[in-house]
Amino acid sequence: MNENRLDVLKDERDLKSRDVAKYLNVNESTYSEWEHNKIPIPTRRIIELAEFYNVNIDYMLKLTDTRKVIKGKTKLDLELIGNRLKEIRQELGLSLRGLGDKLNCSFSSLGSYERGENLINCEILMSLSKFSNYSIDYILGRTNNKKIGK
C-alpha cells in the first residue's frame, strides 16, 4: 500500500478525521483507512482531497517532497486523461500488453483508460507514475508539468 501525507495535511489545518470525512461525505472509518494506508483511495477521492488541501497529488501521495499549491476545481476529462496515458505509454515505447505487464494490469483495462471509457484505477495510476516518473497531477489534467517534482 502506498503512503500519503493526509495526516500531516489534516493536522496543518487543525482538523479531525471526522471533519475531513464529513466534507467528503464518507464514513469516518473509510477516511481513517485511507489516511492510514489500509485501503486505496479511489481516484476521484484523491482529486477531491488534493483540491480540499490545495496541494499537488504527487506531494500528497509522497511521490515527491516538492509541495505545490494547486487551487481550483479539476475538470475530470477522461479523453484528456486517456490521451496523456497513451502519450506516456508511447514515450515508454510499450504496447498496451507490455505496459500492462509492467503495471500488473490487463491490457484491456489500459485500453479502456486510454479511450476515455473509464477513469484509471488509483493503484494503477500510482504504479504508472512511479514507473514512468510522470506526475499524477499531469496525468489527471491538474497541471501541464509532465514530470514529478517539476
PDB file of all heavy atoms in Angstrom, residues 58 62-66 68 84 87-89 91-92 99 103 124-139 143-150:
ATOM      1  N   ASP A  58       0.983  14.555  -6.263  1.00  0.00           N
ATOM      2  CA  ASP A  58       2.293  13.906  -6.121  1.00  0.00           C
ATOM      3  C   ASP A  58       2.860  14.120  -4.721  1.00  0.00           C
ATOM      4  O   ASP A  58       3.452  13.212  -4.138  1.00  0.00           O
ATOM      5  CB  ASP A  58       3.278  14.439  -7.171  1.00  0.00           C
ATOM      6  CG  ASP A  58       2.829  14.166  -8.587  1.00  0.00           C
ATOM      7  OD1 ASP A  58       2.151  13.150  -8.819  1.00  0.00           O
ATOM      8  OD2 ASP A  58       3.156  14.977  -9.473  1.00  0.00           O
ATOM      9  N   LYS A  62       3.134  11.301  -1.471  1.00  0.00           N
ATOM     10  CA  LYS A  62       4.555  11.079  -1.176  1.00  0.00           C
ATOM     11  C   LYS A  62       5.368  10.582  -2.366  1.00  0.00           C
ATOM     12  O   LYS A  62       6.320   9.822  -2.203  1.00  0.00           O
ATOM     13  CB  LYS A  62       4.732  10.123   0.009  1.00  0.00           C
ATOM     14  CG  LYS A  62       4.404  10.739   1.345  1.00  0.00           C
ATOM     15  CD  LYS A  62       4.864   9.845   2.479  1.00  0.00           C
ATOM     16  CE  LYS A  62       4.754  10.575   3.801  1.00  0.00           C
ATOM     17  NZ  LYS A  62       5.241   9.732   4.896  1.00  0.00           N
ATOM     18  N   LEU A  63       5.000  11.037  -3.555  1.00  0.00           N
ATOM     19  CA  LEU A  63       5.825  10.737  -4.724  1.00  0.00           C
ATOM     20  C   LEU A  63       6.948  11.758  -4.862  1.00  0.00           C
ATOM     21  O   LEU A  63       7.914  11.529  -5.578  1.00  0.00           O
ATOM     22  CB  LEU A  63       4.965  10.732  -5.995  1.00  0.00           C
ATOM     23  CG  LEU A  63       3.917   9.632  -6.068  1.00  0.00           C
ATOM     24  CD1 LEU A  63       3.004   9.833  -7.265  1.00  0.00           C
ATOM     25  CD2 LEU A  63       4.578   8.268  -6.131  1.00  0.00           C
ATOM     26  N   THR A  64       6.775  12.901  -4.190  1.00  0.00           N
ATOM     27  CA  THR A  64       7.784  13.961  -4.195  1.00  0.00           C
ATOM     28  C   THR A  64       7.691  14.719  -2.878  1.00  0.00           C
ATOM     29  O   THR A  64       6.649  14.708  -2.207  1.00  0.00           O
ATOM     30  CB  THR A  64       7.574  14.940  -5.375  1.00  0.00           C
ATOM     31  OG1 THR A  64       8.607  15.924  -5.372  1.00  0.00           O
ATOM     32  CG2 THR A  64       6.224  15.642  -5.308  1.00  0.00           C
ATOM     33  N   ASP A  65       8.784  15.383  -2.523  1.00  0.00           N
ATOM     34  CA  ASP A  65       8.772  16.283  -1.372  1.00  0.00           C
ATOM     35  C   ASP A  65       8.500  17.718  -1.799  1.00  0.00           C
ATOM     36  O   ASP A  65       8.442  18.621  -0.963  1.00  0.00           O
ATOM     37  CB  ASP A  65      10.111  16.211  -0.621  1.00  0.00           C
ATOM     38  CG  ASP A  65      10.288  14.872   0.083  1.00  0.00           C
ATOM     39  OD1 ASP A  65       9.272  14.283   0.520  1.00  0.00           O
ATOM     40  OD2 ASP A  65      11.437  14.405   0.188  1.00  0.00           O
ATOM     41  N   THR A  66       8.348  17.936  -3.109  1.00  0.00           N
ATOM     42  CA  THR A  66       8.058  19.260  -3.642  1.00  0.00           C
ATOM     43  C   THR A  66       6.556  19.523  -3.536  1.00  0.00           C
ATOM     44  O   THR A  66       5.751  18.866  -4.192  1.00  0.00           O
ATOM     45  CB  THR A  66       8.495  19.375  -5.123  1.00  0.00           C
ATOM     46  OG1 THR A  66       9.892  19.061  -5.205  1.00  0.00           O
ATOM     47  CG2 THR A  66       8.236  20.758  -5.667  1.00  0.00           C
ATOM     48  N   LYS A  68       3.376  21.887  -4.067  1.00  0.00           N
ATOM     49  CA  LYS A  68       2.888  22.976  -4.916  1.00  0.00           C
ATOM     50  C   LYS A  68       1.453  23.293  -4.540  1.00  0.00           C
ATOM     51  O   LYS A  68       0.686  22.400  -4.168  1.00  0.00           O
ATOM     52  CB  LYS A  68       2.926  22.573  -6.390  1.00  0.00           C
ATOM     53  CG  LYS A  68       4.303  22.287  -6.907  1.00  0.00           C
ATOM     54  CD  LYS A  68       4.245  21.834  -8.339  1.00  0.00           C
ATOM     55  CE  LYS A  68       5.609  21.361  -8.790  1.00  0.00           C
ATOM     56  NZ  LYS A  68       5.534  20.699 -10.081  1.00  0.00           N
ATOM     57  N   ARG A  84      -3.230  11.433 -22.427  1.00  0.00           N
ATOM     58  CA  ARG A  84      -1.973  11.518 -21.685  1.00  0.00           C
ATOM     59  C   ARG A  84      -1.436  10.134 -21.347  1.00  0.00           C
ATOM     60  O   ARG A  84      -0.226   9.897 -21.394  1.00  0.00           O
ATOM     61  CB  ARG A  84      -2.145  12.381 -20.439  1.00  0.00           C
ATOM     62  CG  ARG A  84      -2.300  13.848 -20.829  1.00  0.00           C
ATOM     63  CD  ARG A  84      -2.357  14.794 -19.695  1.00  0.00           C
ATOM     64  NE  ARG A  84      -2.313  16.164 -20.217  1.00  0.00           N
ATOM     65  CZ  ARG A  84      -2.297  17.242 -19.471  1.00  0.00           C
ATOM     66  NH1 ARG A  84      -2.307  17.148 -18.150  1.00  0.00           N
ATOM     67  NH2 ARG A  84      -2.259  18.444 -20.030  1.00  0.00           N
ATOM     68  N   GLU A  87       0.103   8.867 -24.527  1.00  0.00           N
ATOM     69  CA  GLU A  87       1.369   9.579 -24.747  1.00  0.00           C
ATOM     70  C   GLU A  87       2.483   8.976 -23.904  1.00  0.00           C
ATOM     71  O   GLU A  87       3.585   8.707 -24.402  1.00  0.00           O
ATOM     72  CB  GLU A  87       1.177  11.058 -24.385  1.00  0.00           C
ATOM     73  CG  GLU A  87       2.455  11.863 -24.249  1.00  0.00           C
ATOM     74  CD  GLU A  87       2.240  13.164 -23.483  1.00  0.00           C
ATOM     75  OE1 GLU A  87       1.126  13.719 -23.499  1.00  0.00           O
ATOM     76  OE2 GLU A  87       3.215  13.617 -22.845  1.00  0.00           O
ATOM     77  N   ILE A  88       2.204   8.733 -22.643  1.00  0.00           N
ATOM     78  CA  ILE A  88       3.207   8.160 -21.738  1.00  0.00           C
ATOM     79  C   ILE A  88       3.605   6.765 -22.219  1.00  0.00           C
ATOM     80  O   ILE A  88       4.794   6.439 -22.302  1.00  0.00           O
ATOM     81  CB  ILE A  88       2.672   8.117 -20.289  1.00  0.00           C
ATOM     82  CG1 ILE A  88       2.510   9.533 -19.752  1.00  0.00           C
ATOM     83  CG2 ILE A  88       3.598   7.288 -19.394  1.00  0.00           C
ATOM     84  CD1 ILE A  88       1.683   9.627 -18.481  1.00  0.00           C
ATOM     85  N   ARG A  89       2.621   5.954 -22.538  1.00  0.00           N
ATOM     86  CA  ARG A  89       2.904   4.587 -22.995  1.00  0.00           C
ATOM     87  C   ARG A  89       3.772   4.619 -24.246  1.00  0.00           C
ATOM     88  O   ARG A  89       4.761   3.868 -24.357  1.00  0.00           O
ATOM     89  CB  ARG A  89       1.597   3.833 -23.279  1.00  0.00           C
ATOM     90  CG  ARG A  89       1.827   2.405 -23.775  1.00  0.00           C
ATOM     91  CD  ARG A  89       0.534   1.670 -24.009  1.00  0.00           C
ATOM     92  NE  ARG A  89      -0.364   2.309 -24.932  1.00  0.00           N
ATOM     93  CZ  ARG A  89      -0.242   2.296 -26.274  1.00  0.00           C
ATOM     94  NH1 ARG A  89       0.789   1.670 -26.827  1.00  0.00           N
ATOM     95  NH2 ARG A  89      -1.130   2.879 -27.041  1.00  0.00           N
ATOM     96  N   GLU A  91       5.751   7.068 -25.276  1.00  0.00           N
ATOM     97  CA  GLU A  91       7.091   7.564 -24.955  1.00  0.00           C
ATOM     98  C   GLU A  91       7.938   6.489 -24.275  1.00  0.00           C
ATOM     99  O   GLU A  91       9.160   6.483 -24.406  1.00  0.00           O
ATOM    100  CB  GLU A  91       7.009   8.829 -24.098  1.00  0.00           C
ATOM    101  CG  GLU A  91       6.585  10.038 -24.913  1.00  0.00           C
ATOM    102  CD  GLU A  91       6.671  11.350 -24.155  1.00  0.00           C
ATOM    103  OE1 GLU A  91       7.310  11.402 -23.081  1.00  0.00           O
ATOM    104  OE2 GLU A  91       6.098  12.336 -24.655  1.00  0.00           O
ATOM    105  N   LEU A  92       7.282   5.591 -23.569  1.00  0.00           N
ATOM    106  CA  LEU A  92       7.992   4.469 -22.947  1.00  0.00           C
ATOM    107  C   LEU A  92       8.302   3.372 -23.964  1.00  0.00           C
ATOM    108  O   LEU A  92       9.044   2.440 -23.666  1.00  0.00           O
ATOM    109  CB  LEU A  92       7.161   3.875 -21.798  1.00  0.00           C
ATOM    110  CG  LEU A  92       6.965   4.765 -20.573  1.00  0.00           C
ATOM    111  CD1 LEU A  92       5.937   4.157 -19.621  1.00  0.00           C
ATOM    112  CD2 LEU A  92       8.290   5.010 -19.850  1.00  0.00           C
ATOM    113  N   LEU A  99       2.873  -2.579 -21.341  1.00  0.00           N
ATOM    114  CA  LEU A  99       2.688  -1.728 -20.174  1.00  0.00           C
ATOM    115  C   LEU A  99       1.855  -2.443 -19.121  1.00  0.00           C
ATOM    116  O   LEU A  99       2.150  -2.355 -17.922  1.00  0.00           O
ATOM    117  CB  LEU A  99       2.037  -0.394 -20.557  1.00  0.00           C
ATOM    118  CG  LEU A  99       1.882   0.617 -19.424  1.00  0.00           C
ATOM    119  CD1 LEU A  99       3.233   0.955 -18.778  1.00  0.00           C
ATOM    120  CD2 LEU A  99       1.203   1.885 -19.926  1.00  0.00           C
ATOM    121  N   LEU A 103       2.773  -3.025 -15.171  1.00  0.00           N
ATOM    122  CA  LEU A 103       1.935  -2.473 -14.111  1.00  0.00           C
ATOM    123  C   LEU A 103       1.049  -3.519 -13.446  1.00  0.00           C
ATOM    124  O   LEU A 103       0.257  -3.191 -12.572  1.00  0.00           O
ATOM    125  CB  LEU A 103       1.052  -1.346 -14.666  1.00  0.00           C
ATOM    126  CG  LEU A 103       1.777  -0.177 -15.324  1.00  0.00           C
ATOM    127  CD1 LEU A 103       0.766   0.831 -15.864  1.00  0.00           C
ATOM    128  CD2 LEU A 103       2.750   0.484 -14.358  1.00  0.00           C
ATOM    129  N   ILE A 124      -3.258   1.591 -10.175  1.00  0.00           N
ATOM    130  CA  ILE A 124      -2.572   1.550 -11.471  1.00  0.00           C
ATOM    131  C   ILE A 124      -1.959   2.915 -11.765  1.00  0.00           C
ATOM    132  O   ILE A 124      -0.835   3.015 -12.258  1.00  0.00           O
ATOM    133  CB  ILE A 124      -3.531   1.081 -12.574  1.00  0.00           C
ATOM    134  CG1 ILE A 124      -3.931  -0.364 -12.280  1.00  0.00           C
ATOM    135  CG2 ILE A 124      -2.916   1.241 -13.959  1.00  0.00           C
ATOM    136  CD1 ILE A 124      -4.972  -0.959 -13.119  1.00  0.00           C
ATOM    137  N   LEU A 125      -2.689   3.962 -11.427  1.00  0.00           N
ATOM    138  CA  LEU A 125      -2.183   5.323 -11.596  1.00  0.00           C
ATOM    139  C   LEU A 125      -0.892   5.526 -10.807  1.00  0.00           C
ATOM    140  O   LEU A 125       0.091   6.062 -11.331  1.00  0.00           O
ATOM    141  CB  LEU A 125      -3.263   6.311 -11.139  1.00  0.00           C
ATOM    142  CG  LEU A 125      -2.980   7.791 -11.272  1.00  0.00           C
ATOM    143  CD1 LEU A 125      -2.732   8.180 -12.722  1.00  0.00           C
ATOM    144  CD2 LEU A 125      -4.144   8.588 -10.703  1.00  0.00           C
ATOM    145  N   MET A 126      -0.871   5.068  -9.555  1.00  0.00           N
ATOM    146  CA  MET A 126       0.341   5.184  -8.725  1.00  0.00           C
ATOM    147  C   MET A 126       1.493   4.380  -9.324  1.00  0.00           C
ATOM    148  O   MET A 126       2.621   4.874  -9.409  1.00  0.00           O
ATOM    149  CB  MET A 126       0.066   4.676  -7.313  1.00  0.00           C
ATOM    150  CG  MET A 126      -0.756   5.599  -6.447  1.00  0.00           C
ATOM    151  SD  MET A 126       0.153   7.034  -5.883  1.00  0.00           S
ATOM    152  CE  MET A 126       1.414   6.276  -4.869  1.00  0.00           C
ATOM    153  N   SER A 127       1.198   3.156  -9.755  1.00  0.00           N
ATOM    154  CA  SER A 127       2.245   2.312 -10.345  1.00  0.00           C
ATOM    155  C   SER A 127       2.797   2.945 -11.609  1.00  0.00           C
ATOM    156  O   SER A 127       4.018   2.952 -11.820  1.00  0.00           O
ATOM    157  CB  SER A 127       1.683   0.928 -10.676  1.00  0.00           C
ATOM    158  OG  SER A 127       1.320   0.254  -9.511  1.00  0.00           O
ATOM    159  N   LEU A 128       1.926   3.490 -12.449  1.00  0.00           N
ATOM    160  CA  LEU A 128       2.368   4.135 -13.683  1.00  0.00           C
ATOM    161  C   LEU A 128       3.242   5.341 -13.371  1.00  0.00           C
ATOM    162  O   LEU A 128       4.297   5.534 -13.988  1.00  0.00           O
ATOM    163  CB  LEU A 128       1.171   4.560 -14.534  1.00  0.00           C
ATOM    164  CG  LEU A 128       1.503   5.355 -15.795  1.00  0.00           C
ATOM    165  CD1 LEU A 128       2.351   4.527 -16.758  1.00  0.00           C
ATOM    166  CD2 LEU A 128       0.228   5.840 -16.472  1.00  0.00           C
ATOM    167  N   SER A 129       2.826   6.133 -12.416  1.00  0.00           N
ATOM    168  CA  SER A 129       3.585   7.324 -12.058  1.00  0.00           C
ATOM    169  C   SER A 129       4.976   6.952 -11.540  1.00  0.00           C
ATOM    170  O   SER A 129       5.976   7.549 -11.938  1.00  0.00           O
ATOM    171  CB  SER A 129       2.812   8.131 -11.015  1.00  0.00           C
ATOM    172  OG  SER A 129       3.502   9.302 -10.695  1.00  0.00           O
ATOM    173  N   LYS A 130       5.045   5.966 -10.674  1.00  0.00           N
ATOM    174  CA  LYS A 130       6.342   5.529 -10.148  1.00  0.00           C
ATOM    175  C   LYS A 130       7.225   4.937 -11.243  1.00  0.00           C
ATOM    176  O   LYS A 130       8.424   5.190 -11.277  1.00  0.00           O
ATOM    177  CB  LYS A 130       6.137   4.509  -9.031  1.00  0.00           C
ATOM    178  CG  LYS A 130       5.601   5.108  -7.755  1.00  0.00           C
ATOM    179  CD  LYS A 130       5.380   4.036  -6.706  1.00  0.00           C
ATOM    180  CE  LYS A 130       4.874   4.613  -5.409  1.00  0.00           C
ATOM    181  NZ  LYS A 130       4.629   3.587  -4.397  1.00  0.00           N
ATOM    182  N   PHE A 131       6.617   4.162 -12.137  1.00  0.00           N
ATOM    183  CA  PHE A 131       7.367   3.507 -13.205  1.00  0.00           C
ATOM    184  C   PHE A 131       7.880   4.511 -14.237  1.00  0.00           C
ATOM    185  O   PHE A 131       9.009   4.405 -14.709  1.00  0.00           O
ATOM    186  CB  PHE A 131       6.483   2.456 -13.890  1.00  0.00           C
ATOM    187  CG  PHE A 131       7.094   1.800 -15.088  1.00  0.00           C
ATOM    188  CD1 PHE A 131       8.145   0.909 -14.940  1.00  0.00           C
ATOM    189  CD2 PHE A 131       6.627   2.068 -16.362  1.00  0.00           C
ATOM    190  CE1 PHE A 131       8.730   0.295 -16.048  1.00  0.00           C
ATOM    191  CE2 PHE A 131       7.199   1.468 -17.470  1.00  0.00           C
ATOM    192  CZ  PHE A 131       8.252   0.580 -17.318  1.00  0.00           C
ATOM    193  N   SER A 132       7.056   5.500 -14.575  1.00  0.00           N
ATOM    194  CA  SER A 132       7.373   6.421 -15.661  1.00  0.00           C
ATOM    195  C   SER A 132       7.940   7.757 -15.211  1.00  0.00           C
ATOM    196  O   SER A 132       8.483   8.504 -16.024  1.00  0.00           O
ATOM    197  CB  SER A 132       6.113   6.698 -16.483  1.00  0.00           C
ATOM    198  OG  SER A 132       5.168   7.438 -15.714  1.00  0.00           O
ATOM    199  N   ASN A 133       7.801   8.082 -13.920  1.00  0.00           N
ATOM    200  CA  ASN A 133       8.171   9.379 -13.361  1.00  0.00           C
ATOM    201  C   ASN A 133       7.280  10.509 -13.892  1.00  0.00           C
ATOM    202  O   ASN A 133       7.648  11.672 -13.845  1.00  0.00           O
ATOM    203  CB  ASN A 133       9.658   9.706 -13.585  1.00  0.00           C
ATOM    204  CG  ASN A 133      10.147  10.759 -12.612  1.00  0.00           C
ATOM    205  OD1 ASN A 133       9.761  10.782 -11.446  1.00  0.00           O
ATOM    206  ND2 ASN A 133      10.986  11.660 -13.092  1.00  0.00           N
ATOM    207  N   TYR A 134       6.121  10.162 -14.422  1.00  0.00           N
ATOM    208  CA  TYR A 134       5.150  11.169 -14.843  1.00  0.00           C
ATOM    209  C   TYR A 134       4.284  11.550 -13.658  1.00  0.00           C
ATOM    210  O   TYR A 134       3.865  10.699 -12.878  1.00  0.00           O
ATOM    211  CB  TYR A 134       4.261  10.650 -15.977  1.00  0.00           C
ATOM    212  CG  TYR A 134       4.827  10.908 -17.343  1.00  0.00           C
ATOM    213  CD1 TYR A 134       5.796  10.075 -17.885  1.00  0.00           C
ATOM    214  CD2 TYR A 134       4.407  11.995 -18.103  1.00  0.00           C
ATOM    215  CE1 TYR A 134       6.326  10.300 -19.133  1.00  0.00           C
ATOM    216  CE2 TYR A 134       4.933  12.236 -19.363  1.00  0.00           C
ATOM    217  CZ  TYR A 134       5.893  11.384 -19.867  1.00  0.00           C
ATOM    218  OH  TYR A 134       6.418  11.626 -21.114  1.00  0.00           O
ATOM    219  N   SER A 135       3.996  12.826 -13.560  1.00  0.00           N
ATOM    220  CA  SER A 135       3.205  13.355 -12.466  1.00  0.00           C
ATOM    221  C   SER A 135       1.747  12.893 -12.553  1.00  0.00           C
ATOM    222  O   SER A 135       1.129  12.955 -13.621  1.00  0.00           O
ATOM    223  CB  SER A 135       3.248  14.889 -12.522  1.00  0.00           C
ATOM    224  OG  SER A 135       2.252  15.457 -11.719  1.00  0.00           O
ATOM    225  N   ILE A 136       1.201  12.480 -11.425  1.00  0.00           N
ATOM    226  CA  ILE A 136      -0.222  12.150 -11.368  1.00  0.00           C
ATOM    227  C   ILE A 136      -1.045  13.399 -11.675  1.00  0.00           C
ATOM    228  O   ILE A 136      -2.070  13.324 -12.349  1.00  0.00           O
ATOM    229  CB  ILE A 136      -0.595  11.551 -10.000  1.00  0.00           C
ATOM    230  CG1 ILE A 136      -0.002  10.149  -9.873  1.00  0.00           C
ATOM    231  CG2 ILE A 136      -2.115  11.520  -9.801  1.00  0.00           C
ATOM    232  CD1 ILE A 136      -0.254   9.471  -8.546  1.00  0.00           C
ATOM    233  N   ASP A 137      -0.585  14.548 -11.214  1.00  0.00           N
ATOM    234  CA  ASP A 137      -1.297  15.797 -11.498  1.00  0.00           C
ATOM    235  C   ASP A 137      -1.341  16.062 -13.005  1.00  0.00           C
ATOM    236  O   ASP A 137      -2.359  16.532 -13.521  1.00  0.00           O
ATOM    237  CB  ASP A 137      -0.636  16.966 -10.760  1.00  0.00           C
ATOM    238  CG  ASP A 137      -0.730  16.799  -9.254  1.00  0.00           C
ATOM    239  OD1 ASP A 137      -1.824  17.016  -8.706  1.00  0.00           O
ATOM    240  OD2 ASP A 137       0.283  16.423  -8.631  1.00  0.00           O
ATOM    241  N   TYR A 138      -0.269  15.740 -13.707  1.00  0.00           N
ATOM    242  CA  TYR A 138      -0.254  15.877 -15.160  1.00  0.00           C
ATOM    243  C   TYR A 138      -1.223  14.878 -15.789  1.00  0.00           C
ATOM    244  O   TYR A 138      -2.048  15.243 -16.625  1.00  0.00           O
ATOM    245  CB  TYR A 138       1.157  15.661 -15.716  1.00  0.00           C
ATOM    246  CG  TYR A 138       1.184  15.620 -17.229  1.00  0.00           C
ATOM    247  CD1 TYR A 138       1.061  16.792 -17.968  1.00  0.00           C
ATOM    248  CD2 TYR A 138       1.305  14.411 -17.907  1.00  0.00           C
ATOM    249  CE1 TYR A 138       1.048  16.759 -19.358  1.00  0.00           C
ATOM    250  CE2 TYR A 138       1.297  14.374 -19.290  1.00  0.00           C
ATOM    251  CZ  TYR A 138       1.171  15.547 -20.009  1.00  0.00           C
ATOM    252  OH  TYR A 138       1.145  15.511 -21.391  1.00  0.00           O
ATOM    253  N   ILE A 139      -1.133  13.638 -15.396  1.00  0.00           N
ATOM    254  CA  ILE A 139      -1.982  12.590 -15.981  1.00  0.00           C
ATOM    255  C   ILE A 139      -3.457  12.957 -15.826  1.00  0.00           C
ATOM    256  O   ILE A 139      -4.253  12.798 -16.757  1.00  0.00           O
ATOM    257  CB  ILE A 139      -1.686  11.221 -15.349  1.00  0.00           C
ATOM    258  CG1 ILE A 139      -0.246  10.773 -15.679  1.00  0.00           C
ATOM    259  CG2 ILE A 139      -2.698  10.176 -15.830  1.00  0.00           C
ATOM    260  CD1 ILE A 139       0.246   9.588 -14.857  1.00  0.00           C
ATOM    261  N   THR A 143      -2.218  19.854 -14.047  1.00  0.00           N
ATOM    262  CA  THR A 143      -1.066  20.677 -14.388  1.00  0.00           C
ATOM    263  C   THR A 143      -0.556  20.250 -15.757  1.00  0.00           C
ATOM    264  O   THR A 143      -0.891  19.170 -16.241  1.00  0.00           O
ATOM    265  CB  THR A 143       0.056  20.538 -13.328  1.00  0.00           C
ATOM    266  OG1 THR A 143       1.143  21.416 -13.646  1.00  0.00           O
ATOM    267  CG2 THR A 143       0.585  19.113 -13.270  1.00  0.00           C
ATOM    268  N   ASN A 144       0.272  21.094 -16.362  1.00  0.00           N
ATOM    269  CA  ASN A 144       0.911  20.734 -17.622  1.00  0.00           C
ATOM    270  C   ASN A 144       2.369  20.320 -17.433  1.00  0.00           C
ATOM    271  O   ASN A 144       3.070  20.077 -18.396  1.00  0.00           O
ATOM    272  CB  ASN A 144       0.798  21.888 -18.625  1.00  0.00           C
ATOM    273  CG  ASN A 144      -0.631  22.017 -19.131  1.00  0.00           C
ATOM    274  OD1 ASN A 144      -1.310  21.033 -19.368  1.00  0.00           O
ATOM    275  ND2 ASN A 144      -1.090  23.248 -19.265  1.00  0.00           N
ATOM    276  N   ASN A 145       2.835  20.281 -16.168  1.00  0.00           N
ATOM    277  CA  ASN A 145       4.188  19.823 -15.866  1.00  0.00           C
ATOM    278  C   ASN A 145       4.186  18.304 -15.862  1.00  0.00           C
ATOM    279  O   ASN A 145       3.547  17.690 -15.019  1.00  0.00           O
ATOM    280  CB  ASN A 145       4.652  20.367 -14.517  1.00  0.00           C
ATOM    281  CG  ASN A 145       4.761  21.877 -14.520  1.00  0.00           C
ATOM    282  OD1 ASN A 145       5.144  22.476 -15.521  1.00  0.00           O
ATOM    283  ND2 ASN A 145       4.404  22.493 -13.416  1.00  0.00           N
ATOM    284  N   LYS A 146       4.907  17.729 -16.794  1.00  0.00           N
ATOM    285  CA  LYS A 146       4.846  16.282 -17.007  1.00  0.00           C
ATOM    286  C   LYS A 146       5.506  15.450 -15.916  1.00  0.00           C
ATOM    287  O   LYS A 146       5.001  14.409 -15.526  1.00  0.00           O
ATOM    288  CB  LYS A 146       5.491  15.908 -18.358  1.00  0.00           C
ATOM    289  CG  LYS A 146       4.724  16.399 -19.553  1.00  0.00           C
ATOM    290  CD  LYS A 146       5.397  15.952 -20.835  1.00  0.00           C
ATOM    291  CE  LYS A 146       4.584  16.386 -22.037  1.00  0.00           C
ATOM    292  NZ  LYS A 146       5.129  15.830 -23.278  1.00  0.00           N
ATOM    293  N   LYS A 147       6.650  15.884 -15.442  1.00  0.00           N
ATOM    294  CA  LYS A 147       7.434  15.032 -14.548  1.00  0.00           C
ATOM    295  C   LYS A 147       7.177  15.355 -13.082  1.00  0.00           C
ATOM    296  O   LYS A 147       6.874  16.492 -12.717  1.00  0.00           O
ATOM    297  CB  LYS A 147       8.931  15.181 -14.854  1.00  0.00           C
ATOM    298  CG  LYS A 147       9.300  14.699 -16.257  1.00  0.00           C
ATOM    299  CD  LYS A 147       9.044  13.212 -16.435  1.00  0.00           C
ATOM    300  CE  LYS A 147       9.489  12.726 -17.795  1.00  0.00           C
ATOM    301  NZ  LYS A 147       9.418  11.300 -17.920  1.00  0.00           N
ATOM    302  N   ILE A 148       7.307  14.345 -12.257  1.00  0.00           N
ATOM    303  CA  ILE A 148       7.123  14.503 -10.814  1.00  0.00           C
ATOM    304  C   ILE A 148       8.147  15.512 -10.290  1.00  0.00           C
ATOM    305  O   ILE A 148       9.316  15.437 -10.614  1.00  0.00           O
ATOM    306  CB  ILE A 148       7.305  13.159 -10.087  1.00  0.00           C
ATOM    307  CG1 ILE A 148       6.199  12.178 -10.508  1.00  0.00           C
ATOM    308  CG2 ILE A 148       7.311  13.339  -8.584  1.00  0.00           C
ATOM    309  CD1 ILE A 148       6.383  10.775  -9.977  1.00  0.00           C
ATOM    310  N   GLY A 149       7.657  16.453  -9.471  1.00  0.00           N
ATOM    311  CA  GLY A 149       8.538  17.412  -8.835  1.00  0.00           C
ATOM    312  C   GLY A 149       8.938  18.587  -9.693  1.00  0.00           C
ATOM    313  O   GLY A 149       9.656  19.462  -9.238  1.00  0.00           O
ATOM    314  N   LYS A 150       8.497  18.648 -10.922  1.00  0.00           N
ATOM    315  CA  LYS A 150       8.853  19.763 -11.807  1.00  0.00           C
ATOM    316  C   LYS A 150       7.852  20.879 -11.681  1.00  0.00           C
ATOM    317  O   LYS A 150       6.729  20.717 -11.369  1.00  0.00           O
ATOM    318  CB  LYS A 150       8.927  19.316 -13.271  1.00  0.00           C
ATOM    319  CG  LYS A 150       9.965  18.252 -13.517  1.00  0.00           C
ATOM    320  CD  LYS A 150      11.332  18.805 -13.425  1.00  0.00           C
ATOM    321  CE  LYS A 150      12.349  17.706 -13.700  1.00  0.00           C
ATOM    322  NZ  LYS A 150      13.653  18.012 -13.366  1.00  0.00           N
TER     323      LYS A 150
END
